[in-house]
Amino acid sequence: MSAFLDFGSDAVLLAGLTGDNWRLKDYVARGGYESLKKILSERIAPEQILAEIKLSVLRGRGGAGFPTGMKWGFMPRGAPEKYVICNADEGEPGTFKDRDILRFNPHAVIEGMVIAAYVMGCARGYNYIHGEIWEVYERCEEAVDEARAAGFIGSRILGSDFSFELFNHHGFGAYICGEETALLESIEGKKGQSRYKPPFPANVGLYGKPTTVNNVETFACVPLIVKNGGQWFLELGRPNAGGTKIFSVSGDVERPGNYELRMGAPFAKLLEMAGGVRDGRKLKAVIPGGSSSPVVPGAVMMETDLDYDSIAKAGSMMGSGAVIVMDETRCMVRCLARLSEFYHDESCGQCTPCREGTGWLSRMMHRIEHGEGRPGDIEALDRIAHDIMGRTICAMGDAAAMPVRSFIKHFRDEFEYHIEHRRCQVADYV
Amino acid sequence: MPLSTTASQKIDKAIAKYPAGRQQSAVMAALTIVQEERGWLSPEALREVADYLEMSPVAVYEVASFYSMYHLKPVGRYVLTLCTNLPCALQGAGEAGRYLQETLKIGWNETTQDNMFTLLQGECMGACQEAPVLLANHQRMCCKITPPQIDTLLAQLRVEAAQEERHG
């Protein structure tokens, strides 16, 4: 048997995984599908499971951090056609946890989805998988086939009167489809442009029917909560954020990778697990929650714990848990220029402030980076970013604006130097 | 050129994933299947998919032009997409990108003269722990890509192409 992959000693979601033991028989050997069996054999009432989920204070792991139990509670009772959707369109730069969950432990997500469907009374579900991780999509196809053959999905699951069908749907290169309403449009066979909310998907979702969309990691937590109880899960974390969290660490560290820690663990511990800053250099800055979250100076981050409130206090957000580390040799102008290019590239074009604003930001950043910045550019960047925020249908506008404002706030001197001296202040090895 | 039997069988399987009358949901799968077979999506291919799914051609075009991994113009036999987003850039994508351009003697969005390779810059592929990441023909993920690995990959793809040619 191959060695366990090391995701840290706090790991519960990623514990016992070797990279090869993803199949149904392996998952069952680890105690998988026991939660579902228990629910169906003991006919546990959906309300009772929902109460445990609420007690656990499981919050959405895709980025918004919305309480999962509350979200499930929004689904209307009794509607004949309802959907449960897994958002595996993981494209937020720096985020790569869902890929590992799905390729190493796909059945945990399937079991979580089946339980969610049971609680909310959904007969059909889809797992929307990022198009770029094609091999993971193929693995999920195999895993769903295995689960269907074993009677964990399909008609009259495990002999009960509960039926649920589950299918995988792949994306094909659109960051915006990670936004839940754009994702629904995409499943309907349209371009992925976000819908106005309200109505929320719980009322008008896929094909106009009540729908709940949760992240991969969120679903993976569900069987564990059912098995060990909401209180157990809550106590793994902080009072208003239960459980563990998988952090994807990338950038200037010795060992980029996924590390699972209890909510509220110190950032310094995570950095240590990732082997520290590469080549013994000094930590300059950290983007703690995916490229859309505001950048935080390294010194501040070293004093910060990894939970929603602590990261908010440090001026940023937990987001997807994607931690991008930048060392002292990195040019912040260059880093932001690349992120701005990304948002311009990915803007779906529906809302003018985002469509035009991301283009302005990207072109101005390009200009400043290449020594062609003009006086007043920094103020213009900040103003454009400010004017995008809160003026678009979906959160992508804010996602494009937040990095800009925070990079300027914390590293203004580098931007000023670039404009004044027409070159970079720091030696750069990118 | 009508859809091949293999393609229509695969598309039927995709249609079966959605409720009756919702075959439009299979359009992304259908376009992916046809592109895999033909390399790119010609206006004619889009019309065939539209007919097959009972969609208007413009609705299919809207989808094909929205998602970045569909090609509406001919591309090389192998499309190489290198992620150059921030996490990959911090982990060596700049060097990999320069090496690819020098070795293939083409720039971004260009195709080699022998029509073997098209080089694209990609956005985050969600595998940043193994950055820099390169996708070959959108399906084969090559991780921690360095100049020596690029040499190996290019040689391997050329061998594969030659073998496919021999076997028709």
Side-chain angles (χ1 to χ4, degrees), chain A residues 324-354:
Chain A
I324 307 172
V325 174
M326 287 157 280
D327 73 27
E328 57 187 328
T329 66
R330 299 303 182 180
C331 166
M332 293 293 108
V333 173
R334 188 169 194 168
C335 290
L336 179 61
R338 184 58 186 89
L339 291 180
S340 296
E341 187 187 325
F342 165 69
Y343 289 106
H344 176 47
D345 209 42
E346 297 293 341
S347 175
C348 81
Q350 186 175 202
C351 309
T352 312
C354 176

Side-chain angles (χ1 to χ4, degrees), chain A residues 6-222:
Chain A
D6 186 12
F7 298 104
S9 55
D10 286 355
V12 292
L13 291 172
L14 298 175
L17 303 179
T18 62
D20 297 323
N21 58 358
W22 62 272
R23 289 198 171 274
L24 185 129
K25 63 173 172 51
D26 305 308
Y27 183 62
V28 169
R30 290 195 292 276
Y33 287 112
E34 270 172 25
S35 298
L36 180 64
K37 283 182 195 161
K38 186 176 169 197
I39 288 168
L40 295 179
S41 64
E42 296 175 18
R43 296 167 174 267
I44 300 176
E47 293 74 25
Q48 201 179 323
I49 302 163
L50 188 60
E52 287 299 317
I53 301 290
K54 284 182 176 169
L55 176 65
S56 76
V57 197
L58 168 63
R59 293 172 62 170
R61 302 296 197 238
F66 194 82
T68 304
M70 197 187 287
K71 198 176 200 178
W72 290 11
F74 292 153
M75 287 286 273
R77 307 272 157 243
E81 190 182 340
K82 291 184 269 191
Y83 294 93
V84 61
I85 311 280
C86 178
N87 185 346
D89 193 32
E90 184 178 50
E92 173 82 5
T95 317
F96 46 87
K97 65 190 179 64
D98 298 339
R99 171 175 176 247
D100 273 6
I101 297 172
L102 286 174
R103 63 183 176 149
F104 297 146
N105 207 13
H107 286 284
V109 180
I110 294 173
E111 187 181 9
M113 287 188 76
V114 181
I115 295 170
Y118 173 82
V119 171
M120 293 182 278
C122 306
R124 197 178 265 265
Y126 292 96
N127 186 7
Y128 188 105
I129 301 167
H130 198 218
E132 285 83 343
I133 49 170
W134 191 262
E135 288 126 323
V136 176
Y137 169 75
E138 288 182 334
R139 175 160 297 181
C140 288
E141 286 282 87
E142 269 193 77
V144 163
D145 286 346
E146 282 186 327
R148 188 174 288 121
F152 293 119
I153 51 180
S155 157
R156 303 184 65 85
I157 295 173
L158 301 174
S160 71
D161 54 6
F162 173 61
S163 301
F164 174 67
E165 268 303 341
L166 175 61
F167 303 96
N168 298 300
H169 180 112
H170 66 76
F172 221 58
Y175 168 71
I176 191 66
C177 291
E179 194 281 331
E180 63 175 5
T181 61
L183 184 152
L184 297 176
E185 289 285 300
S186 185
I187 299 184
E188 291 183 6
K190 302 169 191 163
K191 55 186 172 174
Q193 289 189 321
S194 304
R195 300 173 181 172
Y196 278 101
K197 292 195 273 192
F200 288 93
N203 292 309
V204 182
L206 184 63
Y207 309 128
K209 307 296 178 192
T211 300
T212 287
V213 185
N214 286 134
N215 170 260
V216 171
E217 188 181 353
T218 311
F219 280 121
C221 292
V222 169

Side-chain angles (χ1 to χ4, degrees), chain B residues 65-85:
Chain B
S65 59
F66 186 84
Y67 298 90
S68 67
M69 286 153 71
Y70 297 118
H71 304 297
L72 299 177
K73 286 185 180 146
V75 287
R77 185 176 198 126
Y78 297 104
V79 176
L80 306 179
T81 315
L82 178 74
C83 176
T84 57
N85 207 311

Side-chain angles (χ1 to χ4, degrees), chain A residues 283-302:
Chain A
L283 178 67
K284 180 173 189 176
V286 177
I287 299 177
S291 65
S292 309
S293 65
V295 67
V296 178
V300 176
M301 207 59 214
M302 288 304 283

